[in-house]
């Protein structure tokens, strides 16, 4: 009886690839987490925007800055929300780009490693939500 | 803390904190030179445990820095807002609502603010101009971010060493299996 793995020689180069792959997996987990947070943040901003639009232009709202609330005009609050949303969207965009790059690199490595080790190696993640 | 068998580690400590694990090229030779499979096994397991301990300590440090970031960004946001509110020559007092205690809010009117007080810890609060406060907070924020980045780098390197060790362990294991089966045959 022999395990499948024993039929393959693992070289230092393979080890490098495996290491890189595991590094990418960790990065991916972090980035997916960050993206989730950004998306939630964006949703909140959009909700706030919707509510604000229903208000009269002269009415005042409490806007949170840090830990306190400041009374501002509706129009001011709109300006603030829009700029917040813009920065958030560009951040989200960066995150998506990074994620795409990592995924592409992982696919590349998967091809090489599966090509060599076949079913003797497992490169699948447990739960994927991307 | 890395007083494990040196044949498992690279001589060069590429990273000051984490010793690099050596990829064991020729398992049979290593086993032969270092007193048999069970000893090599033990050494590998020991190394792996060390790595794991280091991993949890670095992760903890990273988390504690990450927790500081929201506080700092909040403070910075307020300082910047105070700064910009002064620019507009807007002299009328601003109405603010602040948290008095958990779930209790009160109202305050801020009249033409010029200075801000930063809590430095240990029951000390210091008066700063907006510019000084901003640069101090910014410095702390950048410092925390740098630290997180450094820790992430260390962690990434450490994880690679762990993977190398994991692969070494499984390769020693297969080498052992191979030997056993060839003995039987």
């Amino acid at each position: 009886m022999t395990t499948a793995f024993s039929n393959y020689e693992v070289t230092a180069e393979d080890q490098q690839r495996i290491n890189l792959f595991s590094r990418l997996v960790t990065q991916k987990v972090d980035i997916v987490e960050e993206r989730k947070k950004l998306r939630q943040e964006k949703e909140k901003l959009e909700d706030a925007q919707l509510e604000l639009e229903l208000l009269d232009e002269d009415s005042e709202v409490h806007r949170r800055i840090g830990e306190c609330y400041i009374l501002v005009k509706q129009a001011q609050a709109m300006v603030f929300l829009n700029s917040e949303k813009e920065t958030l969207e560009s951040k989200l965009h960066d995150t998506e780009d990074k994620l795409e790059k990592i995924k592409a690199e992982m696919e590349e490595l998967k091809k090489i490693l599966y090509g060599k080790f076949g079913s003797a190696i497992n490169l699948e993640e447990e739960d994927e939500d991307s | 803390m890395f007083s494990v068998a040196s044949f498992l580690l690279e001589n060069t400590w590429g990273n000051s904190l984490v010793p690099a694990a050596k990829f064991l090229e020729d398992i049979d030779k290593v086993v032969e030179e270092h007193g048999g499979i069970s000893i090599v096994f033990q050494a590998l397991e020991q190394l792996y445990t060390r790595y794991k301990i280091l991993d949890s300590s670095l992760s903890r440090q990273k988390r504690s820095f990450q927790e500081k970031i929201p506080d700092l960004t909040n403070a910075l946001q307020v300082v910047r807002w105070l700064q910009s509110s002064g620019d507009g020559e807007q002299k009328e007092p601003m109405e603010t609502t602040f948290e008095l205690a958990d779930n209790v809010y009160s109202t305050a009117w801020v009249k033409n603010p010029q200075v801000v007080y930063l809590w430095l810890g240990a029951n000390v609060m210091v008066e700063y101009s907006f510019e000084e406060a901003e640069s101090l907070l910014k410095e702390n924020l950048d410092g925390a971010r740098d630290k997180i980045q450094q820790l992430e780098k260390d962690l990434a390197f450490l994880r690679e060493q762990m993977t190398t060790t994991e692969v070494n362990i499984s390769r020693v294991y297969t080498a052992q299996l191979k030997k056993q089966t060839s003995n039987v045959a």
Side-chain angles (χ1 to χ4, degrees):
Chain A
M1 183 208 93
T2 48
T3 57
F5 206 58
S6 64
N7 297 326
Y8 304 93
E9 253 337 294
V10 185
T11 65
E13 207 190 351
D14 296 328
Q15 180 70 66
Q16 286 303 318
R17 290 201 189 101
I18 296 171
N19 285 354
L20 180 61
F21 189 83
S22 99
R23 183 185 275 227
L24 288 172
V25 171
T26 332
Q27 275 178 6
K28 192 181 150 196
V29 170
D30 283 352
I31 288 179
V32 167
E33 184 61 31
E34 195 186 319
R35 184 179 67 174
K36 201 171 129 199
K37 270 190 212 150
L38 288 173
R39 277 185 178 163
Q40 276 172 353
E41 199 65 29
K42 195 180 150 197
E43 233 168 80
K44 277 190 211 159
L45 279 181
E46 275 165 357
D47 285 351
Q49 240 173 348
L50 219 63
E51 291 295 332
L52 260 185
E53 273 163 16
L54 297 175
L55 286 176
D56 199 45
E57 278 216 16
D58 293 326
S59 61
E60 290 180 317
V61 286
H62 285 91
R63 172 189 148 197
R64 196 173 79 191
I65 300 177
E67 271 160 35
C68 55
Y69 297 84
I70 287 146
L71 209 57
V72 292
K73 290 261 185 317
Q74 185 259 12
Q76 263 179 298
M78 278 303 253
V79 173
F80 168 72
L81 272 184
N82 281 333
S83 79
E84 277 288 272
K85 208 177 141 191
E86 260 169 45
T87 33
L88 206 61
E89 264 165 4
S90 83
K91 267 192 203 162
L92 202 57
H93 199 75
D94 286 351
T95 323
E96 298 279 3
D97 281 355
K98 266 195 234 161
L99 199 59
E100 281 312 309
K101 257 186 223 149
I102 287 175
K103 272 191 196 161
E105 228 177 315
M106 279 170 72
E107 277 310 311
E108 203 55 38
L109 282 168
K110 264 189 194 175
K111 253 185 241 156
I112 300 172
L113 288 169
Y114 273 136
K116 178 158 182 192
F117 296 110
S119 61
I121 195 166
N122 178 25
L123 304 170
E124 301 309 319
E125 292 139 272
E126 272 134 33
D127 58 337
E128 223 172 323
D129 67 319
S130 48
Chain B
M1 94 181 254
F2 280 92
S3 58
V4 284
S6 59
F7 67 94
L8 295 175
L9 299 174
E10 296 284 1
N11 293 326
T12 50
W13 281 37
N15 184 304
S16 57
L17 207 59
V18 187
K22 199 187 266 179
F23 173 72
L24 303 176
E25 196 86 47
D26 188 342
I27 297 281
D28 292 339
K29 203 173 139 216
V30 170
V31 168
E32 206 177 299
E33 278 172 7
H34 296 93
I37 274 182
S38 62
I39 290 175
V40 173
F41 235 147
Q42 252 176 18
L44 278 166
E45 294 282 2
Q46 202 188 0
L47 178 65
Y48 192 65
T49 318
R50 300 274 155 94
Y51 279 144
K52 257 191 176 154
I53 295 168
L54 198 55
D55 180 67
S56 69
S57 126
L58 286 179
S59 303
R60 209 172 30 241
Q61 279 180 46
K62 183 180 148 193
R63 256 199 313 280
S64 87
F65 277 109
Q66 274 174 331
E67 277 161 14
K68 283 183 190 159
I69 293 220
D71 278 353
L72 286 167
T73 39
N74 273 348
L76 202 56
Q77 215 184 359
V78 176
V79 171
R80 285 195 175 139
W81 173 76
L82 283 170
Q83 223 169 358
S84 67
S85 72
D87 292 343
E89 293 291 316
Q90 164 198 5
K91 289 285 188 276
E92 62 198 81
M94 290 166 291
E95 187 183 336
T96 66
T97 308
F98 65 97
E99 195 170 6
L100 200 60
D102 272 356
N103 295 320
V104 183
Y105 288 82
S106 185
T107 313
W109 277 270
V110 181
K111 215 188 280 175
N112 194 20
Q114 299 296 328
V115 289
V116 70
Y117 297 86
L118 293 187
W119 183 260
L120 297 186
N123 284 330
V124 179
M125 208 152 78
V126 177
E127 181 184 300
Y128 284 94
S129 73
F130 297 147
E131 287 74 26
E132 282 170 335
E134 199 204 344
S135 74
L136 181 72
L137 288 169
K138 185 106 189 11
E139 218 173 273
N140 285 351
L141 189 62
D142 288 345
R145 284 198 177 126
D146 282 354
K147 202 79 189 140
I148 289 173
Q149 230 177 9
Q150 182 56 44
L151 282 166
E152 269 171 358
K153 247 164 89 186
D154 286 346
L155 272 169
F157 183 80
L158 175 64
R159 297 264 159 81
E160 288 198 358
Q161 306 323 306
M162 289 173 82
T163 317
T164 305
T165 310
E166 278 168 25
V167 173
N168 278 338
I169 289 174
S170 76
R171 284 171 62 233
V172 170
Y173 185 71
T174 23
Q176 187 188 24
L177 273 184
K178 232 177 177 174
K179 211 168 155 193
Q180 277 175 355
T181 46
S182 67
N183 280 351
V184 169

